[in-house]
């Protein structure tokens, strides 16, 4: 989704002038990206560095787009069949979009107040980035329990050097009076070294809901940074934080943010990803939350020389303990001699600066004992499967995590290819010390050999576990017709019938998108009381949209 690619490995002319001085230059550069070309940044004050040892295929859709530009290909032959929505609601307003590609969804709710967020390709087509239309992180708000959404267009931005570029996460605070959002905050195409630092960052923003339902956003609060990209000699620890996620505990007012830091390799690193965690105490007035409240990053799992660590998700328990799950050896399993991937977990206690369990000295492998796994708990990965209709090609097995406080358990869900190549959804719980693992349960009822992909999980007030995922059972294993399904089980060991959430299927081979991957990298669901809101990428109108339903 970025409009030019790096053409050299170092900067040699020091601080120079603007990257874009005329609108016509911006238009021509964007046109090159849309056609798959490469534009030079000659004469600019900021040039993209070499990605070093970072492997593009392992980055999130938003981070990958920053390096490689826009373009998953557009299908102009949209089918004229009737489109039905039923209880599914589009949280976005397509009439406000400049381009096709709104996906990778996140959601939070408290009562009837619901906030959804997504990657929005429109932001990459508009300058300045200080205009909400220049935000590639889209936001929608509902005050009536998800029946109707107002498209808020994008997040606020007060720094033209930077731009919101997606990978959103969102949590509800104080009964939905406030929402806190996180997103990647990367250099704008209009950045210039003369104007100050140019950085890979993760920022959060506080959204305040007024009595009439109006939403106002704070300025961006930068909580994680990879260092300045402008110096002619880059810092040896230059890095790219990616794949952020949020969780919030109202009891302790703890907000936690997990992400992966990819070192660019200029200091000898492997670029295979380091899992990190940030936490803050949300003040009584959330509008006064500050970047400094998040403190120093906690290293949950350090970078490794041979194994990729990616897809970190966090859930905070009452009291502030933070549980993190992630996938180890994703995509490196294709060439490092170990064909398996491993779902890992760790817990960082409230106030602690290192994992109490699950760190490199005491790893916790959630997939230990999985059917057809290795003795070390390695499972067959969907990274070794090309998924038809998924523009990224191969899949992932990123886990999701939720604390089940009523049961005193931590829930992990993931997909893997242990039983068949296109995957199933699996669930396992551990106790609050990450011990006493329960049995691994297959969540989806069918054994159709069809795709089951990108699960999400939340827990209702009564302890019921809600899992949701993309599913192709209705079309079969060689179909690209895709639905979104869910299951609500009262207890970890008691299965329940699957329910179809979508009221219309998406044929991902007939859906045009500038976002790559077109599905996004994840879906989401959130529970408030005993009601659950679901969100997913849906292409039934011919382009991806962020749909929402409640059950």
């Amino acid at each position: 989704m970025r409009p030019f690619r790096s053409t050299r490995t170092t900067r040699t002319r020091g601080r120079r002038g603007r990257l874009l001085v005329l609108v016509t230059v911006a238009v021509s550069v964007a046109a090159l990206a849309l056609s798959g070309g490469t534009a030079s940044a000659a004469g600019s004050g900021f040039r993209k560095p070499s990605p070093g040892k970072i492997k593009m295929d392992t980055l999130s859709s938003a981070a990958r787009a920053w390096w490689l530009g826009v373009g998953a290909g557009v299908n102009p032959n949209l089918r004229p069949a009737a489109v039905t929505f039923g209880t599914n609601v589009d949280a976005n307003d397509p009439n406000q979009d400049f381009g096709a590609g709104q996906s990778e969804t996140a959601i939070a709710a408290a009562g009837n107040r619901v906030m959804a967020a997504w990657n929005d390709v429109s932001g990459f087509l508009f300058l300045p980035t200080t205009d909400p239309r220049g935000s590639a992180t889209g936001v929608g708000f509902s005050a009536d329990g998800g029946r109707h959404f107002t498209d808020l267009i994008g997040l606020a931005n007060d720094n033209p050097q930077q731009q919101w570029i997606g990978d959103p996460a969102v949590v509800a605070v104080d009964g939905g009076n406030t929402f806190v959002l996180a997103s990647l905050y990367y250099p704008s195409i209009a950045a210039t070294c003369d104007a100050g630092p140019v950085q890979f960052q993760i920022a959060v923003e506080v959204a305040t809901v007024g009595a009439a339902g109006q939403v106002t956003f704070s300025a961006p609060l930068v909580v994680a940074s990879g260092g300045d990209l402008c110096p002619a000699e880059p810092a040896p620890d230059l890095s790219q934080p990616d794949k952020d996620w949020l969780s919030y505990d109202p009891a302790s007012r703890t907000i936690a943010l997990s992400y992966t830091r990819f070192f660019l390799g200029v200091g000898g690193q492997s670029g295979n990803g380091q899992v990190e965690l940030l936490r803050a105490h949300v003040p009584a007035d959330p509008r006064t939350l500050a970047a400094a409240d998040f403190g120093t990053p906690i290293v949950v799992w350090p970078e490794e020389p041979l194994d990729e660590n990616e897809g970190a998700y966090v859930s905070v328990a009452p009291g502030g303990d933070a549980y993190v799950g992630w996938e180890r050896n994703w995509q490196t399993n294709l060439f490092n001699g170990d064909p398996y991937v491993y779902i890992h977990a760790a817990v960082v206690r409230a106030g602690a600066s290192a994992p109490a369990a699950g760190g490199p000295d005491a790893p916790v492998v959630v997939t230990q004992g999985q059917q057809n796994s290795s003795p070390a708990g390695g499972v067959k990965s969907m990274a070794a499967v090309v998924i038809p209709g998924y523009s990224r090609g191969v899949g992932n097995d990123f886990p999701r995590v939720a604390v089940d406080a009523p049961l005193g358990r931590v829930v992990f869900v993931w997909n893997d290819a242990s039983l068949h190549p296109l995957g199933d959804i699996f669930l396992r719980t551990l106790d609050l010390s990450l011990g006493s693992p329960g049995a691994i349960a297959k969540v989806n009822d069918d054994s159709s050999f069809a795709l089951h992909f990108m699960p999400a999980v939340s827990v209702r007030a009564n302890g019921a576990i809600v899992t949701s995922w993309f599913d192709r059972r209705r079309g079969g294993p060689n179909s690209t017709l895709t639905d979104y399904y869910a299951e609500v089980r009262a207890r970890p060991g008691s299965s329940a019938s699957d329910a179809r959430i979508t009221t219309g299927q998406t044929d991902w081979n007939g859906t045009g998108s500038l976002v790559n991957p077109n599905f996004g990298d994840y879906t989401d669901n959130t529970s408030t009381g005993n009601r659950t809101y679901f969100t997913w990428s849906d292409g039934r109108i011919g382009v991806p949209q962020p749909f929402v339903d409640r059950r």
Side-chain angles (χ1 to χ4, degrees):
M1 288 185 285
R2 301 307 303 179
F4 61 90
R5 300 182 183 178
S6 174
T7 56
R8 16 186 329 190
T9 56
T10 58
R11 291 181 62 255
T12 58
R13 297 190 185 177
R15 295 181 176 270
R16 296 179 294 196
R18 296 186 198 174
L19 174 61
L20 299 177
V21 292
L22 296 172
V23 173
T24 55
V25 175
V27 172
S28 64
V29 169
L32 277 169
L34 289 170
S35 64
T38 300
S40 170
S44 72
F46 161 64
R47 182 183 296 278
K48 288 188 181 182
S50 164
K53 296 181 180 179
I54 294 177
K55 295 171 283 295
M56 292 296 101
D57 283 347
T58 65
L59 294 177
S60 68
S61 60
R64 187 169 179 264
W66 190 89
W67 290 102
L68 300 181
V70 204
V74 177
N75 174 12
N77 302 311
L78 303 183
R79 292 169 288 113
V83 177
T84 59
F85 294 93
T87 58
N88 299 167
V89 179
D90 192 345
N92 177 60
D93 179 359
N95 294 313
Q96 299 293 327
D97 296 335
F98 296 116
Q102 289 70 34
S103 62
E104 194 145 306
T105 54
I107 196 164
N112 284 327
R113 290 184 168 182
V114 187
M115 185 162 284
W118 56 88
N119 289 0
D120 193 332
V121 75
S122 292
F124 288 103
L125 308 179
F126 190 90
L127 284 175
T129 60
T130 51
D131 188 301
R133 292 171 291 180
S135 169
T137 301
V139 187
F141 177 71
S142 171
D144 63 358
R147 294 179 178 87
H148 304 87
F149 277 84
T150 299
D151 185 350
L152 302 178
I153 308 300
L155 296 175
N157 181 21
D158 59 0
N159 184 357
Q161 294 278 89
Q162 301 289 131
Q163 179 177 22
W164 295 104
I165 72 156
D167 275 17
V170 57
V171 293
V173 177
D174 294 341
N177 292 324
T178 302
F179 292 85
V180 178
L181 301 100
S183 181
L184 300 184
Y185 192 54
Y186 281 4
S188 162
I189 62 170
T192 166
C193 292
D194 295 334
V198 178
Q199 303 183 72
F200 290 125
Q201 298 174 329
I202 296 173
V204 301
E205 198 146 294
V206 179
T208 303
V209 182
Q214 72 277 19
V215 179
T216 56
F217 292 106
S218 71
L221 308 175
V222 175
V223 297
S225 178
D228 191 358
L229 298 172
C230 276
E233 295 299 327
D237 59 349
L238 196 67
S239 63
Q240 182 174 8
D242 186 26
K243 187 58 68 183
D244 52 284
W245 198 250
L246 283 178
S247 180
Y248 177 67
D249 165 43
S252 62
R253 299 188 69 80
T254 299
I255 193 167
L257 183 145
S258 61
Y259 58 96
T260 302
R261 183 181 298 275
F262 291 100
F263 293 97
L264 273 66
V266 295
Q269 305 93 343
S270 68
N272 280 333
Q274 176 169 285
V275 177
E276 296 186 359
L277 177 72
L278 286 165
R279 285 188 294 199
H281 179 267
V282 177
D285 183 353
R287 294 172 297 179
T288 64
L289 181 69
D293 293 333
F294 285 82
T296 303
I298 297 167
V299 177
V300 177
W301 190 270
E303 182 190 59
E304 298 185 74
L306 298 177
D307 292 351
E308 172 89 13
N309 288 279
E310 175 66 296
Y313 289 88
V314 63
S315 181
V316 185
D321 292 347
Y323 294 85
V324 183
W326 71 95
E327 181 175 4
R328 180 168 176 253
N329 203 29
W330 178 51
Q331 291 209 6
T332 48
N333 71 309
L334 300 178
F335 56 81
N336 68 2
D338 180 0
Y340 296 102
V341 299
Y342 308 80
I343 305 303
H344 274 241
V347 55
V348 181
R349 300 297 184 196
S353 58
D361 296 329
V364 175
V365 181
V366 178
T367 43
Q368 185 79 47
Q370 167 72 306
Q371 188 174 353
N372 298 323
S373 68
S374 73
V379 293
K380 289 185 284 186
S381 172
M382 291 178 66
V385 181
V386 174
I387 299 173
Y390 179 52
S391 64
R392 181 170 232 160
V394 300
N396 66 61
D397 315 277
F398 298 159
R400 300 295 288 271
V401 55
V403 174
D404 194 329
L407 299 183
R409 305 286 289 180
V410 186
V411 182
F412 296 86
V413 300
W414 69 96
N415 56 247
D416 70 45
S418 293
L419 302 183
H420 71 90
L422 287 173
D424 292 289
I425 310 300
F426 296 98
L427 179 151
R428 183 175 227 174
T429 67
L430 292 85
D431 66 23
L432 296 180
S433 296
L434 294 183
S436 304
I440 296 176
K442 183 166 78 76
V443 177
N444 54 287
D445 295 339
D446 66 307
S447 298
S448 63
F449 285 86
L451 178 73
H452 307 89
F453 191 36
M454 291 189 195
V457 67
S458 65
V459 175
R460 291 179 172 175
N462 60 7
I465 301 167
V466 185
T467 308
S468 53
W469 63 93
F470 282 127
D471 194 301
R472 289 181 175 171
R473 71 181 70 179
R474 298 176 71 235
N478 61 354
S479 173
T480 55
L481 294 173
T482 309
D483 282 294
Y484 200 63
Y485 269 71
E487 182 219 67
V488 182
R489 59 177 60 198
R491 294 292 183 269
S494 60
S495 62
S497 297
D498 300 345
R500 182 185 176 215
I501 302 298
T502 41
T503 56
Q505 287 184 303
T506 291
D507 182 353
W508 284 105
N509 263 341
T511 303
S513 178
L514 291 177
V515 173
N516 187 15
N518 50 348
F519 288 29
D521 285 324
Y522 52 82
T523 68
D524 199 17
N525 75 60
T526 187
S527 295
T528 172
N530 291 323
R531 175 188 295 170
T532 302
Y533 293 91
F534 303 88
T535 184
W536 66 96
S537 299
D538 193 309
R540 75 185 73 182
I541 69 169
V543 296
Q545 291 287 288
F547 272 77
V548 173
D549 204 333
R550 68 174 197 169
R551 301 291 170 95

